[in-house]
Amino acid sequence: MNQFHSSATPNSHSAFIAMGSNMGNRVDMIEQACQKLDEHVYIRLVRTSGLWETKPMYVEDQNEFLNGVCEVSNTPSSYDLRLMLIVKISTSLQPGDLLDVLQNIEKDLGRVKLIDKGPRSIDLDILLYDQVQHGSDRLTIPHALMLEREFVLRPLCELIPDTPHPDHPSMPYNSFLARLTENTSSPSMSTFTPMSSTLSPLTALNPSRKTQTMAIINLTPDSFSDGGRNSPTDPASLHSTLLSAINAGATILDLGGQSSRPRAESISAAEEFARVAPALALLRSMPEARHTAISIDTYRSEVARQAVAAGAHFVNDVSAGTLDPDMLSTVAQLGCTVCLMHMRGTPETMMRPEHTRYPDGVVAGVATELLERVRAAEAAGVRRWRIMLDPGLGFAKTSEQSLEVLRNLKVLREWKGLEGLPWLVGPSRKGFVGKALGGRKEPGEREWGTAAAVAACVQGGADVVRVHEVGAMRDVVRVSDAIWRDNAAVAEKMSRDMNGA
């Protein structure tokens, strides 16, 4: 989480640090390195790129890397692939002193350099320091190889796409990236979003990725489709519900104790957690759940904190942090992933006319408002690789608007500032499906319509679909993946082969 230090000096400089790891627990290594940067008295971590997964360069007989970039500013802030990011910092340290700090962090985290450009648990490099050029026996700024590395340019372009390189004042970084990748139709690397320690991460830019199926586990008496079905006071029935969802193919279980249906009444945080606590305890004891991620569906920070302490892996907030001012900072402190959903108003008021009015169109409205929430989350200390998005079908949207959003998922995925973030989409049994079926009022009678909507989600690029009927919708997802995801990977490979011929 970002920390501001009272001993900051006014002589502040902006630097960009590349971080990478392809040994051990890559995500943990990178997050520890970010924390150590942020705790340093003369460094403030300003912003991070997403995490990017890529194959290693130069020495190829090594695991793949996680990569990224962080921006810093002058104040007294066993995997197969490499993870990389870039961080922006603000610092009062001079380049040589900053290099000393980075090398000490590498040492503290156990890095042992065996081969030049070979495998490493953590790798920290200064890419840029203001717009200066610096050369010494120890350090060259700008980094000498940064313009030939896609795994540097992609995360850097998340932070400063239009900024020129100091050696090339007329060439912004997005132009260097375009030149480097001009013969490829999709990235050779992908963003990387951790879900849990036992579930594969989301790789939103991988064209052959598999769509994850999230099971809706409502522990409420008044949810629109299955309220009262899963009683937290009936352990045998609850166990059966959870096991059934896992056996049907759910990779994520979404536990909710507060209904978010239109005009739903609010309960206390204590009652909300009391509803989900038995399911969390059960899941901890079930060996069948060890490869399943658990999300807590709540817009209350205290419920999120208690649920993560009780075993939930990430937070699914229908308000994107707007209904509890402490939610985003709480998620940052917890260090878990959060799904930010688009909604206006509250569940009680979201369908009022003033909340369903989008002067620039619903797609533009959803994109720009979610971008604001992403920026708010980052400002609160949530790392970019810990953010998922949900367009909020049926939330502050008429049926026609929900269909319009569903038709334009690809537009949302490619919206400037949202690129590379994974999307969760929840069409299951919603009112817009019933209306398209001719006004079918019973949510349980909307499964065939839901199947069509789920297929559209996959075709539009959703990374996770949230559903009630797991078994049937998992089949829809598998076939949809076979049509759009596997085929996309084959088409990309054919394109590369043809370009190389």
Side-chain angles (χ1 to χ4, degrees), residues 322-457:
T322 61
L323 295 183
D324 184 337
D326 295 326
M327 176 60 93
L328 296 179
S329 60
T330 296
V331 169
Q333 292 163 10
L334 293 171
C336 65
T337 296
V338 62
C339 183
L340 306 176
M341 195 192 82
H342 179 269
M343 182 178 71
R344 292 171 168 181
T346 69
E348 297 98 323
T349 67
M350 64 183 178
M351 299 310 295
R352 291 177 181 172
E354 63 267 26
H355 293 316
T356 60
R357 192 175 299 118
Y358 295 86
D360 297 321
V362 65
V363 175
V366 168
T368 55
E369 289 168 30
L370 277 179
L371 181 56
E372 291 173 3
R373 300 315 303 158
V374 169
R375 288 171 175 163
E378 291 178 319
V382 180
R383 308 303 186 206
R384 188 173 178 88
W385 62 86
R386 289 290 184 181
I387 297 174
M388 299 170 56
L389 300 176
D390 182 339
L393 299 179
F395 286 77
K397 297 167 192 72
T398 65
S399 293
E400 291 75 14
Q401 290 168 339
S402 290
L403 290 170
E404 182 70 12
V405 168
L406 192 51
R407 290 187 200 104
N408 287 279
L409 288 180
K410 186 174 185 293
V411 175
L412 291 172
R413 280 172 45 81
E414 296 174 356
W415 198 271
K416 187 175 181 179
L418 303 180
E419 309 99 321
L421 293 172
W423 288 81
L424 183 158
V425 188
S428 188
R429 300 180 180 176
K430 287 190 173 171
F432 76 91
V433 175
K435 185 172 181 179
L437 291 171
R440 201 162 294 177
K441 296 189 178 298
E442 284 299 320
E445 296 177 358
R446 300 170 182 168
E447 286 307 318
W448 284 104
T450 294
V454 166
C457 291

Side-chain angles (χ1 to χ4, degrees), residues 12-16 74 91 128-133 141 166 173:
S12 178
H13 304 277
S14 180
F16 289 81
N74 236 331
T91 181
L128 300 165
Y129 184 93
D130 293 334
Q131 284 290 90
V132 306
Q133 296 165 313
I141 302 173
Y173 291 109

Side-chain angles (χ1 to χ4, degrees), residues 193-266:
T193 304
M195 304 296 288
S196 76
S197 60
T198 58
L199 182 67
S200 296
L202 301 179
T203 52
L205 296 179
N206 178 358
S208 61
R209 69 195 184 281
K210 299 299 182 185
T211 308
Q212 302 290 331
T213 304
M214 172 188 274
I216 299 168
I217 308 294
N218 285 323
L219 300 160
T220 59
D222 58 343
S223 291
F224 85 96
S225 176
D226 54 359
R229 180 177 175 183
N230 305 309
S231 172
T233 60
D234 186 345
S237 175
L238 187 55
H239 183 277
S240 176
T241 295
L242 298 173
L243 186 59
S244 175
I246 294 168
N247 288 341
T251 50
I252 308 168
L253 301 180
D254 191 38
L255 309 182
Q258 163 69 63
S259 175
S260 57
R261 64 176 173 80
R263 292 170 287 280
E265 293 185 5
S266 180

